[in-house]
Every structure is written in structure tokens, then in C-alpha cells.
Amino acid sequence: MKYIQGASRLLLCQVLPGKVYGCTKLIHGEPLEMGHDSHTSPDSKEVVIFNSHHILPSYVVHYGEANGDFSYEDTNV
């Protein structure tokens, strides 16, 4: 995702979208559609939450470039 390029942390949140307005075209800077709590993009891959009380920060994920090969060890054997 271009808008987080160069970052090393990601904030994961739980959201309560409420009554969702499904946008039929891209809209930028428009106010909340009357009678709804949030908007989704036309492809439903993005959600816009208008009320910060509907967002609960849950995790901070720290990441970076991997060095070497990844290996998984099953400890439940």
C-alpha cells in the first residue's frame, strides 16, 4: 500500500461500521450520507468511519524486512 510506504508499524483496529452506505462511485471529502454511520468504497475494500467512538485500537504490529529463510517449527507434536 503506497500510503504506508517506509513505515515499520501498523495499527490494527476493530471498527463498528453501523449502517453502511455503499458508494457507487469514488467520492472525496464528502460528508456522511444522511441516515448512515459509515461509507464503503465501490469495491467494498475500504471503509470510512466518521465517528472516532466506532474505532477501537487493538494491536500495534511491528515489521521489517526479513533476513534469511523463514522456517516454522510445530511445537504441538
Side-chain angles (χ1 to χ4, degrees), residues 19 25 30-31 33-34 40 46 50 53 63-64 75:
K19 186 173 181 186
K25 61 182 177 138
E30 295 294 322
E33 188 71 26
M34 187 73 108
T40 59
E46 295 179 76
F50 288 83
H53 291 99
Y63 59 93
T75 59

Side-chain angles (χ1 to χ4, degrees), residues 7-8 19 23 27 30 47 49-50 53-54 59-60 64-65 72:
S8 63
K19 186 173 181 186
C23 297
I27 55 175
E30 295 294 322
V47 63
I49 304 296
F50 288 83
H53 291 99
H54 293 185
Y59 302 96
V60 176
E65 193 170 317
Y72 174 77

Side-chain angles (χ1 to χ4, degrees), residues 13-77:
C13 300
Q14 297 179 54
V15 296
L16 298 171
K19 186 173 181 186
V20 179
Y21 174 75
C23 297
T24 56
K25 61 182 177 138
L26 288 180
I27 55 175
H28 299 282
E30 295 294 322
L32 177 62
E33 188 71 26
M34 187 73 108
H36 294 82
D37 301 302
S38 63
H39 293 172
T40 59
S41 60
D43 61 5
S44 297
K45 291 184 178 180
E46 295 179 76
V47 63
V48 177
I49 304 296
F50 288 83
N51 186 336
S52 63
H53 291 99
H54 293 185
I55 303 170
L56 177 63
S58 299
Y59 302 96
V60 176
V61 178
H62 299 261
Y63 59 93
E65 193 170 317
N67 295 324
D69 293 331
F70 173 79
S71 62
Y72 174 77
E73 184 178 322
D74 189 356
T75 59
N76 294 322
V77 178

